[in-house]
Amino acid sequence: MAITNIFDIAGSGMSAESVRLNTVASNLANADSVSNSPQTAYKARYPVFQAVQDALAGTGPTGAADASVKVDGIVQSTTPGTASYDPGNPLADANGYVYSSNVNTVEQMADMISASRSYQNDADVLNTSKQLMLDTLKLGQS
Amino acid sequence: MSFNLDSYLGIQPDALEVYSQRADVLAANIANADTPGYLAKDIDFRAALSAAGQGGEGQGASGPAGGGSLQPRITSPDDLGASSSQGGLSTEQFLKYRVPLAPSLDGNTVDSQMEESAFAENNVRYEAALTFIESDFSNLNTVISD
């Protein structure tokens, strides 16, 4: 049945967007983390979304159209972080430098708003479909 | 004169089915609004509904136009004799890709606002079809009880 698929699809969308919100939270929390080498400095993480046309969805009446979404993996940003001279820091290397994360807080805030809007859209779809199903169940009872 | 519930309800039950499948496609578009390379799709409603009115792909189907015979109709891919691509009311062949309004760098053609409004419109139409069926039932009830 088609309309029950919507719960799976919107659910997968909400799950993917919440992973995105999680990475944003982790990036923002580590925005000021420093490290004693560029390799161990915190790198911003991003989820990679992928449409899923799995076997279950592919057999529906709309066939391959029933695409849910999944998080294919988390990638780390390759942008170099900044090195700053801070000899008083206990994490400073032999030359007195600490290496900060490459998180761009403004970009992360924008990403957070985008993720929360998409999450709201999915939640709205879920709610509306639920209402339609309830109305269909009540058909002929009044 | 025999009474047939299918022809009494007219095209509305088929419309309901197509609306619910269209809601499915639009929900998939909204869920994939951030997926790189995802191409938004929609159902060609007129074509899907006219095919639904003729009883799917014409295999053992008795739609509203199918008269009073009680022919079994394949409604689910799990039914006996049904292959996944030949349901009683398959809308797969009526799927069209959306023409994007603006290009995007990641190849995604979903426009969230467009999809949201299409979804809302589809829901109103679904409710309307439900109301039509509802009033048909209440008319029938009046005839039976009076």
Side-chain angles (χ1 to χ4, degrees):
Chain A
M1 176 168 173
I3 214 162
T4 50
N5 268 341
I6 296 184
F7 293 104
D8 295 339
I9 295 168
S12 75
M14 286 161 75
S15 152
E17 296 298 344
S18 72
V19 169
R20 191 167 161 213
L21 276 174
N22 262 324
T23 59
V24 169
S26 140
N27 291 346
L28 283 176
N30 284 290
D32 291 328
S33 299
V34 290
S35 179
N36 63 350
S37 78
Q39 286 76 35
T40 54
Y42 182 84
K43 304 277 191 298
R45 288 154 164 78
Y46 296 95
V48 179
F49 287 0
Q50 192 189 33
V52 191
Q53 272 132 358
D54 58 5
L56 193 73
T59 54
T62 46
D66 305 357
S68 51
V69 60
K70 74 162 182 181
V71 179
D72 195 38
I74 310 280
V75 293
Q76 295 198 343
S77 164
T78 52
T79 322
T82 50
S84 48
Y85 186 62
D86 186 7
N89 196 314
L91 285 172
D93 65 3
N95 300 320
Y97 281 94
V98 290
Y99 301 88
S100 55
S101 71
N102 61 358
V103 176
N104 179 345
T105 34
V106 178
E107 183 197 330
Q108 294 300 323
M109 292 303 282
D111 213 23
M112 180 186 78
I113 294 166
S114 163
S116 82
R117 289 284 179 274
S118 300
Y119 191 95
Q120 282 172 12
N121 279 347
D122 285 328
D124 281 350
V125 167
L126 206 65
N127 248 331
T128 319
S129 308
K130 189 196 76 182
Q131 194 55 48
L132 286 184
M133 280 194 90
L134 285 177
D135 288 348
T136 315
L137 279 176
K138 282 191 239 129
L139 188 66
Q141 282 182 8
S142 55
Chain B
M1 193 183 96
S2 67
F3 174 76
N4 184 308
L5 194 60
D6 272 346
S7 53
Y8 174 69
L9 293 176
I11 202 162
Q12 300 299 342
D14 289 310
L16 214 55
E17 179 77 23
V18 179
Y19 286 136
S20 81
Q21 286 174 18
R22 182 160 184 244
D24 206 10
V25 175
L26 296 175
N29 289 347
I30 292 170
N32 282 289
D34 296 317
T35 308
Y38 181 83
L39 301 174
K41 302 180 200 77
D42 200 354
I43 287 179
D44 182 353
F45 187 83
R46 181 187 295 269
L49 189 61
S50 63
Q54 288 150 19
E57 289 160 284
Q59 35 144 8
S62 102
S69 63
L70 278 175
Q71 280 278 316
R73 178 169 165 180
I74 297 165
T75 53
S76 154
D78 304 329
D79 287 352
L80 279 177
S83 72
S84 63
S85 62
Q86 295 178 310
L89 213 167
S90 170
T91 49
E92 196 175 353
Q93 69 267 40
F94 306 115
L95 281 172
K96 303 260 163 70
Y97 286 112
R98 253 200 222 303
V99 180
L101 290 174
S104 69
L105 208 55
D106 63 355
N108 184 303
T109 63
V110 179
D111 182 332
S112 275
Q113 284 75 34
M114 286 260 302
E115 301 300 335
E116 279 285 323
S117 57
F119 190 75
E121 184 221 348
N122 190 59
N123 285 339
V124 172
R125 291 182 186 277
Y126 186 95
E127 293 269 11
L130 271 183
T131 312
F132 279 121
I133 298 176
E134 183 89 51
S135 70
D136 281 343
F137 276 138
S138 101
N139 288 345
L140 202 57
N141 231 345
T142 312
V143 172
I144 293 170
S145 55
D146 284 351

